Amino acid sequence: MSEYLPKEVREGLERAHKLAQKKKSRLRVRVGEESFAILRSWDSGFAMDAEAAPNLRGLVDLYDGGKHLYQALIVASSQEGHEVVFEFKRSTMANDRPPVDFERRSDEPVALLPKQ
């Protein structure tokens, strides 16, 4: 059906589709102080708008709204239509608390009270 539409109408539909994807997506890539919208994501990478995506490479942070999800090492792998596809070389989940150097067990008491 899209073959029968005039070129201007097809381009307008593509722009509207990209804008809707940007508004719908809460996922963002952060590099330093700059932030860019992610159009879609999967386990081994993500895709961004080719016009808005700078030449990203290296260590980035991925956010879902205000929640820090991952710190990842990325590389641009291909361009598919109006999207640039990035792949993770490595991704590490972000923790909201520091790691501990002991095993936490739920069956041990938290504190002992002295007998009186």
Side-chain angles (χ1 to χ4, degrees), residues 6 8-9 22 31 38 41-42 55 60-61 76 79-80 84 86 88 105 114:
E8 296 82 19
V9 174
K22 282 183 185 178
V31 181
I38 296 176
S41 66
W42 52 94
N55 191 10
V60 297
D61 293 304
Q79 184 163 352
E80 297 174 3
V84 177
F86 294 91
F88 296 135
R105 299 177 70 182

Side-chain angles (χ1 to χ4, degrees), residues 5 23 39 41 50 56 72 77 84 88 96 99-100 104 108:
L5 295 175
K23 286 183 179 180
L39 298 179
S41 66
L56 290 180
S77 64
V84 177
F88 296 135
D96 58 348
V100 295
R104 293 186 184 196
E108 293 182 359

Side-chain angles (χ1 to χ4, degrees), residues 7-86:
K7 182 181 175 185
E8 296 82 19
V9 174
R10 278 196 315 257
E11 290 173 351
L13 287 172
E14 287 177 10
R15 280 194 304 272
H17 181 69
K18 284 194 321 188
L19 184 62
Q21 278 186 316
K22 282 183 185 178
K23 286 183 179 180
K24 182 175 67 171
S25 177
R26 292 175 35 111
L27 295 176
R28 304 197 67 72
V29 172
R30 207 155 183 210
V31 181
E33 295 298 316
E34 295 183 273
S35 181
F36 305 99
I38 296 176
L39 298 179
R40 56 190 178 92
S41 66
W42 52 94
D43 290 342
S44 61
F46 60 91
M48 293 175 55
D49 184 18
E51 294 174 5
N55 191 10
L56 290 180
R57 184 182 184 103
L59 194 61
V60 297
D61 293 304
L62 276 71
Y63 286 87
D64 181 9
K67 183 179 178 188
H68 190 198
L69 298 176
Y70 296 102
Q71 188 174 51
L73 190 60
I74 62 167
V75 64
S77 64
S78 65
Q79 184 163 352
E80 297 174 3
H82 69 293
E83 294 180 340
V84 177
V85 176
F86 294 91

